[in-house]
Amino acid sequence: MTSFRFLHAADLHLGSPLAGLARADAEVAALFAAASRDAFADLVDRSIEARVDFAVIAGDVYDGEWKDASIGLFFNRQLAKLDRAGVPVFLLKGNHDAESVVTKSISLPESVREFGSRRPETFRLESLRVALHGQSFAARSALDNLSSAYPAPVAGWFNIGVLHTCCEGSSAHARYAPCTLDELCRKGYDYWALGHVHEHAVLSREPWVVFPGNLQGRSVRECGPKGAVLVEVADNRIIGIERLLTDRARWAVTTVDVSGAENEHAALAAVESAIRPVVAEADGRPLALRITLAGETRLHGGFARDPRRMADEIQAAAHRVSPSVWIEKTKLETAPLQRGARTAPEMKSLDLMALLEGLDAEPELLERAAETIGVIAAKLPGGVFVDEAALAEELPELVNEARELVLGRLGH
């Protein structure tokens, strides 16, 4: 009986600028920035310890074109470890490291096989009777269903399809190389090693169709445990899949209901209580946390008048729970205890609260704000990262925060 095990990883995004800690100190920023590399180095070491027979990386090794060779040299150094341990690597390019995107290169060990981008390609491991089928992205935007041209399975062998794809139902990710789960299942492969979707997901078990997720969360949009999967095969059947958690720092969100808080001290005590289970779940990892204060409270006006001071108090509360928690952002979604009856239309010009109501849904205002962001981003010095897309999505929230700040400082 032939038995073997292999690693399936994807979406390393080496070189990615981790967004969302702009106000953290330099030490914190450096710690989170190094997390993606540290996660991959840890994965390589654990793969060697697990004696994997080969490794599959299903796209987006890099986050884009390199600014210098350090990222490529780091990746080569890690693959050289696998090469010395006798572990071949099968590599596919996704939308972030497509041939037209990452034009620089560093020579990789001979044991690394890279799928071509012109047509699907098959690599064979004769000793294990394993066939791997895949096609890299030629350009960032791959809108065709690449899987439809993948070859038929090699009869009597264990067949793995390697694909960077949104697959069906992954609406949170760009629709690159779209396909359906049914199409993949009908191909006749034993395992589909997917990439692109950053959440771990098992779409099917007959056959196995798996997104390992990315190795390291990069912003508050990528919360929770991150890693790769270890697959064990015996007699051409998968007998076990183990998730290997590799993230070295974690992102999380939590909402704190302060409606029952009589004073600020009580509100901060509620914040500490909400943070404790999140810290426990991070299992000792540094944690970047977004906190939302919610509920109708008499404290709303004080929060709105001086949100920066409240954010500092919440950071202090977080550090009372753990020294490794940093507040990525504090969102204020509280409301006054009583907003009073709805203002009559003819009185809105005299009621500032009513006058400013609905600004966060005003198309013209949001459009002008988005244009302003673009102008500011274009004038920033080189090397300063601004996630314009993320800011644009958060514009309604930012406008609402500005509204509450104005009202709070005017005593409303």
Side-chain angles (χ1 to χ4, degrees), residues 95-406:
N95 54 295
H96 277 270
D97 54 4
E99 287 190 357
S100 65
V101 176
V102 178
T103 59
K104 299 175 183 176
S105 64
I106 294 289
S107 298
L108 299 175
E110 291 186 2
S111 59
V112 178
R113 311 278 186 84
E114 185 176 303
F115 292 101
S117 63
R118 299 184 64 182
R119 63 181 65 87
E121 191 171 1
T122 298
F123 293 119
R124 300 189 183 208
L125 284 168
E126 298 285 345
S127 60
L128 300 177
R129 296 175 64 82
V130 171
L132 299 99
H133 317 277
Q135 181 176 353
S136 291
F137 280 27
R140 178 182 289 275
S141 181
L143 303 180
D144 296 331
N145 181 355
L146 300 181
S147 69
S148 63
Y150 277 34
V154 178
W157 286 41
F158 187 86
N159 288 265
I160 299 173
V162 187
L163 181 65
H164 200 76
T165 176
C166 61
C167 200
E168 60 182 355
S170 303
S171 58
H173 293 76
R175 287 188 56 79
Y176 294 142
C179 62
T180 67
L181 178 59
D182 182 62
E183 288 173 325
L184 299 185
C185 291
R186 286 191 284 107
K187 184 63 71 171
Y189 295 169
D190 301 285
Y191 184 92
W192 278 96
L194 304 184
H196 182 53
V197 174
H198 289 184
E199 292 296 323
H200 170 69
V202 177
L203 304 186
S204 170
R205 294 173 184 263
E206 290 289 341
W208 286 84
V209 181
V210 179
F211 282 111
N214 56 341
L215 294 188
Q216 171 62 53
R218 301 173 301 153
S219 75
V220 75
R221 298 180 181 185
E222 298 177 354
C223 296
K226 299 294 180 179
V229 294
L230 181 65
V231 184
E232 190 161 356
V233 179
D235 198 24
N236 275 7
R237 290 189 59 82
I238 294 175
I239 61 173
I241 288 186
E242 176 187 357
R243 193 175 183 200
L244 302 178
L245 299 184
T246 59
D247 53 329
R248 309 302 288 240
R250 194 162 289 179
W251 302 78
V253 297
T254 190
T255 298
V256 184
D257 185 353
V258 295
S259 56
E262 292 295 322
N263 50 49
E264 188 175 296
H265 178 76
L268 292 173
V271 168
E272 291 185 36
S273 297
I275 289 175
R276 287 192 183 94
V278 184
V279 170
E281 188 177 349
D283 196 23
R285 295 172 178 82
L287 181 68
L289 179 62
R290 177 175 290 188
I291 286 187
T292 299
L293 299 183
E296 291 190 357
T297 173
R298 66 185 64 191
L299 303 174
H300 172 79
F303 293 163
R305 277 192 295 274
D306 197 351
R308 176 59 64 85
R309 186 190 69 81
M310 195 60 198
D312 290 340
E313 289 288 356
I314 289 175
Q315 177 63 81
H319 279 162
R320 289 194 288 272
V321 176
S322 169
S324 299
V325 181
W326 289 273
I327 303 303
E328 178 264 350
K329 185 177 183 180
T330 298
K331 292 177 61 178
L332 183 62
E333 293 185 358
T334 55
L337 278 176
Q338 293 182 348
R339 287 190 178 272
R342 183 172 293 276
T343 305
E346 64 271 16
M347 297 297 293
K348 281 197 173 184
S349 61
L350 303 178
D351 188 328
L352 184 59
M353 184 179 291
L355 186 64
L356 297 180
E357 186 175 352
L359 282 180
D360 55 339
E362 186 66 41
E364 184 177 350
L365 175 65
L366 296 178
E367 182 179 349
R368 290 172 61 190
E371 291 175 355
T372 302
I373 289 174
V375 171
I376 294 173
K379 293 183 178 180
L380 290 175
V384 177
F385 173 73
V386 176
D387 189 345
E388 292 184 54
L391 283 175
E393 289 182 11
E394 295 180 1
L395 276 178
E397 176 189 326
L398 295 173
V399 170
N400 189 56
E401 287 180 3
R403 171 185 179 274
E404 294 299 330
L405 178 60
V406 170

Side-chain angles (χ1 to χ4, degrees), residues 10-21 28-40 59-68 70-72 74-75 95-97 102 140 198 214-222 249 251 383-387:
D11 301 287
L12 281 54
H13 288 280
L14 300 177
S16 173
L18 275 77
L21 288 176
V28 177
L31 186 154
F32 275 79
S36 294
R37 295 193 188 193
D38 292 344
F40 183 57
D60 285 357
V61 168
Y62 305 114
D63 197 63
E65 182 66 278
W66 313 339
K67 294 181 179 179
D68 56 60
S70 63
I71 299 172
F74 167 78
F75 185 54
N95 54 295
H96 277 270
D97 54 4
V102 178
R140 178 182 289 275
H198 289 184
N214 56 341
L215 294 188
Q216 171 62 53
R218 301 173 301 153
S219 75
V220 75
R221 298 180 181 185
E222 298 177 354
W251 302 78
V384 177
F385 173 73
V386 176
D387 189 345

